[in-house]
Amino acid sequence: MNEYRLLPGEVIINEERVLKDDDPIFDPRERPDLDTAISMIIGQQAGYNIPFASVTIPRHKSLPGQNLFECLFGRDSLLVADLLKFKRPELQLEVVKALASVQGEKFDRLSEEEPGRMAHEVREENDPVALKISADANWKFPYYGAVDTTLIWLKTLGDLAKQDPAVLEIDVAGRPLKVRAIEALKWIIFRLQTPSGLIESNRSNPKGITNQVWKDSGDSYLHADGRIASITSTASIETVGETFDALRACISLAKLTPELDWPLQEDQINAICSSLQELLIEYMWVGDHFAIGTDRDPLGAQQPIDSQASNQGRLLDSEIFRDEKFKVYRDAIAAAVTSPGLLGETGLRTLSSNHPMYRAGGYHTGTAWPMDGVFAARGLAKFGYATEATEISIRIKRSIEAIGGYPEYLRGDYPEGPLISHYIVDVKAPGLPNSLHSNRIIQPPQLIQGWTIGAYAWLVENYPDQSS
């Protein structure tokens, strides 16, 4: 079975089989039960018990491409804790405190630290992965190269404070969380100062992460004709919703702490939120569907990155389209994420199978991530699209139950292809314009992934009677 295809002009520079057919990961009887899996991913950072992005079972520790994310990842840990709040409600506050303990205080080009910014990846200096990344890409740790972590952190803190305002008084590394929330808001204000009026991926380390959102691979933002989007001005569609939610959380937090000097008043924040709604539609609504994001053309004009991708599903998990006047956009998203191009047997594909750059095993160009599909399903259910939410959820749940782990992602071509890829394949495209220096077009996923465990916990909670 051929697990990958080459695009015109591509040349293989590395091909390596990682998983054998008889690996127990392919036997669903080997999958740890949910409570065991949750225990496996819980680790410690600065004394806080938090979910790691992934862990590796002993027999896979020496495999290429495994054992990469056993640490605190800001975005990952926050989202895992969100999905696990039915079973482990204490984790959200633990992650909030862990990230607050390393909140940015200064500008540092190599670590991409900025005042008020929350870290993306927190590793000890002697961590072998940290040593390799630092040597190869000149990173410093903690590494802050994500634009969504701070937004999700604020939303999470806002939700926790609604339940118990006393959490805002918790002191972390010499400052209460309520003060750290103000610093996070100041970071949002700073990062909104862009030509688009949106938070953009714009790295300060030349070798830092290009797309500083959850789809962070170099080829994840593609125009409809296959061109790779800008590496300096890309704004992702779901980040707009996350910014909106973070700002709305700040309104609630400010009302709980009137004694503090917040940098914006409620009417000013509401004006920014209205602007975000307008800019989202202006830049990313393409007649009858949403683009994956926006960047600027060579002349500096804002343009949509017009590809059908899974990101739009996150807008329903946000509150940005809550008002009834946005129903036409909610309907369009519900139709898009359940269309044949995006919805496969394993869930919501990261990129439509109709796209010229679609790869069934591509990291963000065709695979289906259980976490991504579950957040879309959660949003669909919230807005009353019960049939669509069920259609996505059951496919994800059955796919996880058909394998012996909790993989990071599943292939987009199952059952024609395997559930997960066996190979690592790297290519280059010499002479082609707008191509990456090298590109990993398929690889096996991390096999015990935190947010897949979280996604499965959410599915068990909400669809308990549905199984394979």
Side-chain angles (χ1 to χ4, degrees):
M1 181 182 296
N2 192 356
E3 295 186 359
Y4 62 91
R5 68 183 179 97
L6 297 180
L7 299 173
E10 289 183 336
V11 178
I12 295 175
I13 56 176
N14 175 53
E15 181 182 50
E16 184 174 7
R17 181 159 189 152
V18 176
L19 294 175
K20 297 179 179 179
D21 289 335
D22 61 354
D23 192 299
I25 199 68
F26 294 106
D27 184 349
R29 295 170 298 181
E30 293 291 319
R31 189 180 68 258
D33 67 73
L34 184 55
D35 289 331
T36 299
I38 292 171
S39 297
M40 290 171 68
I41 61 167
I42 303 300
Q44 281 210 340
Q45 166 62 37
Y48 301 107
N49 292 317
I50 53 97
F52 287 162
S54 68
V55 295
T56 308
I57 48 183
R59 69 174 181 271
H60 289 146
K61 283 190 178 293
S62 62
L63 293 181
Q66 296 295 308
N67 202 31
L68 297 180
F69 306 128
E70 197 163 330
C71 66
L72 169 61
F73 273 73
R75 171 197 312 120
D76 300 52
S77 297
L78 285 166
L79 295 180
V80 174
D82 180 7
L83 292 167
L84 287 177
K85 61 190 174 187
F86 300 102
K87 296 183 71 66
R88 297 290 297 271
E90 80 282 2
L91 291 178
Q92 285 188 295
L93 182 56
E94 287 288 283
V95 177
V96 163
K97 292 188 291 185
L99 287 170
S101 72
V102 289
Q103 185 177 23
E105 298 182 350
K106 62 184 183 301
F107 289 98
D108 187 305
R109 184 176 64 87
L110 297 183
S111 69
E112 307 210 41
E113 179 181 357
E114 296 168 351
R117 191 178 201 179
M118 293 297 167
H120 169 58
E121 188 172 342
V122 183
R123 296 183 183 273
E124 301 297 330
E125 290 184 358
N126 61 351
D127 181 322
V129 177
L131 293 172
K132 185 177 188 310
I133 295 174
S134 297
D136 293 346
N138 206 20
W139 288 16
K140 287 173 62 177
F141 288 94
Y143 177 67
Y144 292 80
V147 296
D148 51 355
T149 303
T150 312
L151 308 175
I152 302 169
W153 184 89
L154 270 169
K155 169 69 164 53
T156 305
L157 179 61
D159 290 344
L160 292 170
K162 286 178 184 177
Q163 301 168 34
D164 180 11
V167 302
L168 297 175
E169 305 298 331
I170 296 174
D171 184 277
V172 177
R175 279 184 286 174
L177 289 175
K178 61 185 181 182
V179 172
R180 293 190 175 278
I182 290 176
E183 296 305 309
L185 174 57
K186 290 178 180 178
W187 178 84
I188 293 176
I189 296 168
F190 164 66
R191 290 302 297 256
L192 282 172
Q193 305 307 305
T194 61
S196 68
L198 305 173
I199 294 179
E200 300 175 355
S201 290
N202 195 346
R203 61 188 179 183
S204 63
N205 184 333
K207 293 187 177 181
I209 292 175
T210 302
N211 296 306
Q212 302 203 338
V213 289
W214 90 264
K215 288 185 179 177
D216 54 4
S217 53
D219 64 346
S220 53
Y221 285 80
L222 298 162
H223 288 277
D225 60 3
R227 288 177 297 118
I228 295 174
S230 166
I231 63 169
T232 60
S233 64
T234 300
S236 187
I237 190 168
E238 81 282 359
T239 307
V240 187
E242 291 163 344
T243 307
F244 181 96
D245 292 341
L247 289 170
R248 296 294 299 171
C250 286
I251 292 176
S252 299
L253 292 169
K255 288 178 178 178
L256 292 171
T257 56
E259 74 280 6
L260 297 181
D261 184 19
W262 286 79
L264 293 175
Q265 301 298 312
E266 181 176 355
D267 61 340
Q268 294 174 302
I269 294 178
N270 281 329
I272 296 172
C273 287
S274 294
S275 175
L276 291 172
Q277 291 170 322
E278 294 167 2
L279 292 172
L280 172 60
I281 295 167
E282 177 183 351
Y283 293 147
M284 302 183 208
W285 177 248
V286 191
D288 61 354
H289 66 274
F290 278 105
I292 190 175
T294 180
D295 67 352
R296 284 183 285 283
D297 67 20
L299 298 179
Q302 210 68 37
Q303 62 181 349
I305 307 170
D306 187 11
S307 293
Q308 281 280 59
S310 63
N311 306 54
Q312 60 192 297
R314 299 287 189 91
L315 294 181
L316 298 184
D317 197 50
S318 166
E319 292 296 297
I320 193 166
F321 282 160
R322 166 65 69 180
D323 292 349
E324 191 59 22
K325 66 181 180 181
F326 297 117
K327 185 177 184 301
V328 63
Y329 304 113
R330 299 198 302 263
D331 288 347
I333 293 170
V337 296
T338 51
S339 66
L342 283 179
L343 184 58
E345 288 302 311
T346 52
L348 186 57
R349 295 187 183 101
T350 43
L351 185 67
S352 171
S353 59
N354 299 319
H355 195 280
M357 301 296 284
Y358 166 76
R359 302 184 200 262
Y363 197 62
H364 293 128
T365 55
T367 53
W369 295 57
M371 165 275 304
D372 190 32
V374 158
F375 281 122
R378 190 170 76 172
L380 287 163
K382 177 179 71 176
F383 282 109
Y385 302 98
T387 300
E388 292 87 344
T390 300
E391 193 173 355
I392 293 174
S393 296
I394 299 311
R395 293 178 188 221
I396 298 170
K397 190 165 186 277
R398 288 175 177 169
S399 296
I400 294 172
E401 291 172 347
I403 202 161
Y406 295 87
E408 186 180 14
Y409 49 81
L410 303 151
R411 288 180 62 92
D413 60 352
Y414 180 80
E416 288 77 19
L419 269 170
I420 60 176
S421 297
H422 295 69
Y423 290 85
I424 285 175
V425 178
D426 299 310
V427 303
K428 63 180 180 179
L432 288 186
N434 199 43
S435 65
L436 301 174
H437 175 69
S438 65
N439 190 19
R440 180 156 291 182
I441 59 171
I442 68 164
Q443 65 189 65
Q446 303 300 301
L447 299 170
I448 305 292
Q449 181 78 2
W451 53 24
T452 299
I453 293 168
Y456 189 69
W458 185 89
L459 292 166
V460 168
E461 181 72 22
N462 290 277
Y463 298 90
D465 299 326
Q466 302 287 340
S467 62
S468 57

